[in-house]
Amino acid sequence: MNTSTPPRTGSAHGESTLRRWLLHGLPRSDAKTTGPHHQEAPGHQHTWWQVMCLTGVDYFSTLGYQPGIAALAAGALSPVATLLLVALTLFGALPTYRAVARQSPNGLGSLSMLESLLPGWRGKLLVLFLLGFVATAFIVTITLSAADATAHVLHNPFVPEFLSGWQVPVTLALIAALGGVFLVGFSEAISIAVVLVAVYLVLNVVVVAVAVQHVLAEPALVGDWGAALAAEHSSPIAMIAVSLYVMPKLALGLSGFETGVAVMPLVKGDLTRRIAGAKKLLTTAALIMSGFLVTSSVATTVLIPAEEFAEGGRANGRALAYLAHEFLGDWFGTAYDLSTIAILWFAGASALAGLLNIVPRYLPRYGMAPDWSRATRPMVLVFTAISFAITLVFNADVESQGGAYATGVLALILSAAVAVTLSAWTTGRRRAAVPFGVISLIFTYATVANIIERPDGLVIALLFVLAIVITSLISRATRSTELRVTRISLDDAARRYINEAGEIHLIANEPHARDCKEYVDKAREAWGLHRLRTAEGLIFLEVTVPDASEFESELRVIGEERHGFRILRMESPTIANAIAALLLYLRDETGKTPHVYFHWAAEGNPIGALLRYLVFGGGDIPPLTREVLRQAEPDPARRPLVHVG
């Protein structure tokens, strides 16, 4: 009999082609997926300074808009507030992420540290919550960087005047182009990042050096700035107090640390060299950025009129580009614009690559994402659509997106500081826990202050959290009857019991005291319900649930003999799925049809039984085992048999 399906025509054929294209590269469903860049030792590794350039396209590109945002937030106080930000960078964020690099060297970052410190559902729900802030940080990186790249395009003197009102369309076009690159096929091109970062930093050195020369050459401007500070603030203490107040608005200058630990697997060398290289990467990037932040803040505040920073001004979102055109001419300024546009656009690529790495790293492992989420192209379309929506909500304005971006960045750094503090405390390193605890309190203040001042970032983050949690729980429920065992192994005793059995009769037993009476009573029950004799080679099957929050697991079957009875023991996040997987494995290994025997569960609400299955891995085991088998083996003749009495 021919069972092949006839070829489809028309729209169905087109749909099939589209599906194959979208799911191209999707890993096999029976393999664990942890993201395209999660291998402990990737095939192509690089020196630490090359990898620094990959994270640098995100970190260093903030120079494109950070000085302007600082000027709008702090006014003449911008250099003082920036100095405090630099202090927080070097003495807060940097030591925190150096500790993260040491404790999570495979690129899992601070989220995995919190997950391990809070096992079970608590850790996973916390990760889902933090993923909302991760999504906020990375999505707004894409939209804010594209918006600032657009500002550099439209404010260039060689661009036609009629395009001046095209901020939103041009930003959407840049985001669409970014998504198109990933749809065609994108790999981490560190060589491109090295070139972009090198050119961009060299041009910034030139611009900042020339600007500082002008500041030194015109002491009257410095005097005017000092007079403005004195007029607005009564004392240095008042200046510091106001700077602390506005400092959370400058948190964009902290971007890039989480990316720095995420790319650790790309650093060349063994584990020790990788950790050392990551620490050099983080330290060097922080020192370079700190130098640029301080000097650019002073230069832009002293040399650029305050009105030019406002919306519609020539320095809005492009303060250093303004200085490049002003002091080095339009041709050099245009070269600077092109370099800035390129690195901002590539910063969006880095953020999108991070999202495509994080989603498969966590959600499918939790069973909280559909199978297609492990494919790149569908997720590119999802993230591109979300980026479009964020761009339209904020009207592609750089300054208005700063609050949302800062919320995501600060929440990530706060979670890292808390993770390092808890890790130090639980391992008995109290002297290390205290300073990290202080750092956590500082970032708590910065995060809360930023949220109070600009709640739109929290709203966006909570919307992401809500969407992630709802879709994750729905996905977990719909995938609950999948075979969730990645590998099955039997020890020597278990394999001997199976080989010596004529027919495979497994008696499901919920272990309690595990004394002689328990097994004798269970054997009598098997006779009473199923007419099974002990002489028929009965084998008891016991499954315990150590952590029901896990989705996939490896099944290790241990054989033991107690009170004259043969027993197979195993641990799994869910009982029904483990039993079904073992039955199918035994069928394939022995060529026999295994039988498993249950007694009816206690009467109760079926909804409650379903919730117990989803949350605690138990529930009404017999029908669930049969359903898992039915979905895994569509042929009833080859399906292991489930008996309930």
Side-chain angles (χ1 to χ4, degrees), residues 31-109:
K32 275 190 174 182
T33 303
T34 50
H37 312 306
H38 179 244
Q39 298 89 344
E40 186 167 333
H44 298 285
Q45 294 182 307
H46 308 267
T47 58
W48 66 266
W49 62 267
Q50 290 176 311
V51 180
M52 182 191 71
C53 292
L54 183 63
T55 183
V57 294
D58 178 16
Y59 193 19
F60 299 143
S61 67
T62 58
L63 286 170
Y65 45 81
Q66 169 74 9
I69 289 179
L72 282 173
L77 208 55
S78 172
V80 180
T82 301
L83 273 175
L84 291 177
L85 178 69
V86 166
L88 186 58
T89 298
L90 298 179
F91 302 106
L94 179 58
T96 295
Y97 276 96
R98 283 173 62 94
V100 171
R102 184 174 58 253
Q103 298 181 51
S104 182
N106 293 323
L108 292 172

Side-chain angles (χ1 to χ4, degrees), residues 473-631:
L473 295 179
I474 291 174
S475 174
R476 177 89 178 208
T478 56
R479 298 185 63 191
S480 62
T481 53
E482 292 180 7
L483 281 178
R484 291 150 54 173
V485 175
T486 58
R487 184 173 178 269
I488 298 178
S489 62
L490 277 65
D491 71 359
D492 293 338
R495 192 167 296 278
R496 187 178 75 253
Y497 297 164
I498 296 299
N499 291 336
E500 292 177 356
E503 295 295 326
I504 302 176
H505 298 284
L506 303 178
I507 309 299
N509 178 50
E510 183 179 359
H512 295 289
R514 304 191 80 225
D515 55 10
C516 183
K517 181 178 183 302
E518 178 177 325
Y519 294 106
V520 169
D521 290 345
K522 198 68 180 178
R524 288 174 178 169
E525 180 186 81
W527 165 252
L529 296 177
H530 308 292
R531 289 299 184 264
L532 292 176
R533 297 181 177 86
T534 306
E536 296 181 48
L538 304 184
I539 302 174
F540 290 95
L541 178 61
E542 298 177 349
V543 185
T544 54
V545 180
D547 184 1
S549 68
E550 292 294 331
F551 188 73
E552 295 179 334
S553 66
E554 180 177 323
L555 204 60
R556 187 168 183 268
V557 185
I558 300 173
E560 69 171 80
E561 190 167 331
R562 294 176 69 90
H563 313 294
F565 296 96
R566 290 182 167 184
I567 304 164
L568 299 181
R569 293 191 297 110
M570 52 188 183
E571 293 183 347
S572 172
T574 55
I575 298 173
N577 304 69
I579 293 174
L582 178 62
L583 293 175
L584 292 170
Y585 174 82
L586 295 178
R587 178 203 66 183
D588 296 338
E589 287 290 303
T590 65
K592 303 173 184 177
T593 300
H595 299 251
V596 64
Y597 298 86
F598 299 92
H599 68 271
W600 282 114
E603 294 183 0
N605 190 320
I607 302 299
L610 178 60
L611 290 176
R612 288 195 300 274
Y613 170 63
L614 294 175
V615 178
F616 302 111
D620 198 357
I621 307 300
L624 289 168
T625 302
R626 198 247 176 212
E627 178 60 21
V628 175
L629 287 169
R630 187 189 68 81
Q631 292 191 21

